[in-house]
């Protein structure tokens, strides 16, 4: 059994849609040296972060990120958008812009992490890393 000081965590901001959870968890664990992805879920979080209007929800997301990063020492933040999102029913091209804007917002919070990574989950629930 590992101890918290040597476990490797990541912070994941994902939609609450249950279809996205396992593909994202599996992809992160397979592609990064991560033991435990901390999941922060909302309905359409990329829209919320990109628009910046729902300040109470943004503050709740940030509060949970603070715990993940400062207590679990996460070194990566993942921002996830997905096909067929009920909380953010817009085209993929708009969601990709929202992911980019969400990343820019989170960058202003100055977390000490190695990277903030955008992910897209397509129609077949395959995870794709975005390169902006």
């Amino acid at each position: 059994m590992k101890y918290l000081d040597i476990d490797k965590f990541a912070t994941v901001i994902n939609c609450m849609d249950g279809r996205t959870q396992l593909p994202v968890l599996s992809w992160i664990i397979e592609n990064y040296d991560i033991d435990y992805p901390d999941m922060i879920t909302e309905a359409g979080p990329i829209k919320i972060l990109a628009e910046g209007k729902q300040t109470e929800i943004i503050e709740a997301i940030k509060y949970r990120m603070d715990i993940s990063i400062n207590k679990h020492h996460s070194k990566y933040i993942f921002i996830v958008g997905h096909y067929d999102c009920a909380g953010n029913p817009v085209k993929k091209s708009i969601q990709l812009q929202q992911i980019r804007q969400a990343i820019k917002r989170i960058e202003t919070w100055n977390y000490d992490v190695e990277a903030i990574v955008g992910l897209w989950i397509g129609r077949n629930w395959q995870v794709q890393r975005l390169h902006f």
Side-chain angles (χ1 to χ4, degrees):
M1 180 170 177
K2 294 183 180 184
Y3 295 96
L4 187 59
D5 61 338
I6 59 171
D7 289 336
K8 296 177 186 111
F9 285 82
T11 305
V12 183
I13 301 171
N14 196 357
C15 187
M16 62 179 273
D17 189 326
R19 299 173 294 177
T20 67
Q21 305 307 313
L22 289 176
V24 168
L25 291 170
S26 297
W27 189 89
I28 290 171
I29 290 169
E30 288 174 16
N31 290 280
Y32 287 80
D33 187 21
I34 300 297
D35 298 313
Y36 303 108
D38 286 340
M39 300 299 288
I40 299 171
T41 65
E42 293 290 341
I46 60 173
K47 177 183 178 183
I48 293 166
L49 289 167
E51 291 179 348
K53 295 177 184 175
Q54 298 182 51
T55 56
E56 287 183 21
I57 296 174
I58 292 170
E59 287 304 313
I61 290 170
K62 191 173 179 189
Y63 171 77
R64 291 177 276 168
M65 289 179 68
D66 287 346
I67 293 169
S68 180
I69 294 165
N70 297 321
K71 301 296 184 186
H72 291 166
H73 310 289
S74 291
K75 290 298 176 191
Y76 294 94
I77 300 170
F78 295 91
I79 312 294
V80 185
H82 73 95
Y83 163 81
D84 193 34
C85 183
N88 186 21
V90 296
K91 296 179 193 178
K92 176 182 177 181
S93 60
I94 293 171
Q95 286 198 43
L96 296 179
Q97 290 173 353
Q98 291 170 335
I99 293 169
R100 188 175 316 138
Q101 290 168 331
I103 289 171
K104 286 181 181 180
R105 177 176 304 282
I106 291 170
E107 286 173 342
T108 68
W109 297 343
N110 296 315
Y111 286 116
D112 182 21
V113 295
E114 291 182 28
I116 302 173
V117 179
L119 299 178
W120 172 255
I121 303 174
R123 180 181 300 248
N124 295 317
W125 309 109
Q126 297 298 312
V127 179
Q128 173 189 0
R129 185 179 192 273
L130 302 173
H131 301 277
F132 297 115

